Amino acid sequence: MEHRATFVDGIWRLLLFLWALTILFPLAWIVYVSLKSNPEFFQNIWSLPKKLLWSNYANAWNSYGLGKAMVNTVYYVGVSLVLGTFLTTLNAYALTRVSFRGRAFVWSLIMLSLFLPGINALVPQYVLMKQLDLTNSLTGLIILDSFGESVFFLLLLGGFMQSLPKELEEGAKIDGASLFGVFWRIIVPLSTPGIVTVAIFKFLSLYNNFLHPFIYLGDPKKYTIAVNMYHANIQMQYTADWVTLFAGVIVAMLPSILMYVFFQRKIVEGATLGAVKG
């Protein structure tokens, strides 16, 4: 029995090592390629740089307009994150803590949407955005991604809220608290771990969102970082300046990497806590 446990433990360690290798090795390769010169890159893509060319990052920042793209991304992601997280919290509260006629039917419709491909909504969605004159606008993109509720986030936070004791709500209502007062003063503070988890996942989803900005933003001055790097990649068929492109990729990836490094424990704790309590 002991040998079997040791064997299983060894298999898990090997799988973990292979998983880490598939993530860390490509990342390390992109980093050291971004510090090479173009002749070195074309001579041998696997060799280490003879001299670290940090100027590649400055070239990427200036050539690809990463500063403007990053400002656009911060505006789009920041406002969408705050507004979207608030609306998700409000929706989860209404669907799990407030009794009203038809609540089960609404939940059924939400569950049904899990089986419908999201790409089916792109055409009617674009027509609606066009009629409302919200295309080619970061504000329009914010409205779209803030009010476009995600079933995953709703289920995650709703499952967490369902586990909260109803006695606290009832006591607040007896003391004269309004429906929104109960939500804001009781439910939101108690649901902070779940809300933080949802906010982190929303950040990663919004920051890495390519499809909506690509479809709705036509002005290069309004590009987010994802669309900006896509067009930078298109330029490679004319310039072949790969080391500068890789430097731009590292700059674009940096916020997501930092989010993972600093909040990985919060993600695991929040998701686990919501799953256990829900």
Side-chain angles (χ1 to χ4, degrees):
M1 195 70 179
E2 183 179 349
H3 292 291
R4 183 179 178 182
T6 304
F7 175 75
V8 172
D9 183 62
I11 293 296
W12 277 113
R13 289 176 181 273
L14 177 61
L15 292 175
L16 183 62
F17 171 76
L18 293 175
W19 173 79
L21 191 63
T22 58
I23 295 177
L24 296 178
F25 178 75
L27 182 61
W29 182 76
I30 293 175
V31 170
Y32 76 71
V33 166
S34 70
L35 296 171
K36 299 170 69 172
S37 65
N38 264 307
E40 286 179 324
F41 173 77
F42 285 108
Q43 287 173 8
N44 187 349
I45 62 173
W46 302 111
S47 65
L48 293 174
K50 297 178 181 179
K51 181 180 179 182
L52 300 181
L53 298 178
W54 297 101
S55 59
N56 290 339
Y57 287 85
N59 293 336
W61 186 270
N62 296 323
S63 301
Y64 302 142
L66 295 182
K68 181 62 177 177
M70 194 64 74
V71 170
N72 294 337
T73 304
V74 169
Y75 170 63
Y76 158 63
V77 173
V79 179
S80 299
L81 179 63
V82 173
L83 183 58
T85 303
F86 174 75
L87 291 175
T88 298
T89 307
L90 198 62
N91 291 336
Y93 171 68
L95 290 170
T96 57
R97 311 294 297 190
V98 180
S99 298
F100 59 90
R101 183 176 297 177
R103 186 175 71 169
F105 177 70
V106 173
W107 265 117
S108 299
L109 289 179
I110 292 173
M111 294 300 103
L112 180 62
S113 67
L114 285 171
F115 301 95
L116 300 177
I119 197 170
N120 290 344
L122 285 180
V123 174
Q125 194 177 73
Y126 183 84
V127 172
L128 180 61
M129 292 283 287
K130 189 74 174 178
Q131 290 177 344
L132 295 175
D133 196 25
L134 293 176
T135 57
N136 199 28
S137 168
L138 285 170
T139 302
L141 198 61
I142 289 171
I143 294 173
L144 174 65
D145 287 327
S146 297
F147 287 87
E149 187 60 85
S150 169
V151 180
F152 168 73
F153 298 140
L154 197 58
L155 287 175
L156 179 63
L157 194 52
F160 186 90
M161 287 185 178
Q162 281 180 327
S163 68
L164 300 178
K166 294 184 178 180
E167 291 77 12
L168 295 173
E169 259 180 293
E170 295 170 354
K173 291 178 181 178
I174 292 174
D175 292 337
S178 63
L179 186 63
F180 184 79
V182 172
F183 163 74
W184 189 251
R185 297 178 182 178
I186 305 297
I187 300 299
V188 170
L190 292 176
S191 303
T192 299
I195 295 173
V196 170
T197 301
V198 168
I200 293 173
F201 280 124
K202 273 185 177 289
F203 170 84
L204 295 174
S205 175
L206 289 166
Y207 185 82
N208 295 311
N209 187 10
F210 170 77
L211 186 61
H212 283 170
F214 180 72
I215 292 175
Y216 293 106
L217 298 178
D219 186 355
K221 295 181 180 179
K222 298 179 181 179
Y223 284 166
T224 59
I225 195 71
V227 179
N228 198 72
M229 290 310 303
Y230 167 78
H231 286 283
N233 183 53
I234 295 297
Q235 295 178 20
M236 288 304 101
Q237 59 184 318
Y238 307 108
T239 62
D241 188 9
W242 292 102
V243 296
T244 303
L245 178 66
F246 285 145
V249 169
I250 293 298
V251 173
M253 291 171 58
L254 197 57
S256 295
I257 295 174
L258 292 177
M259 177 64 71
Y260 173 76
V261 170
F262 290 109
F263 292 98
Q264 58 176 321
R265 181 174 297 179
K266 288 290 184 181
I267 295 175
V268 175
E269 289 179 354
T272 306
L273 186 59
V276 172
K277 287 192 174 184

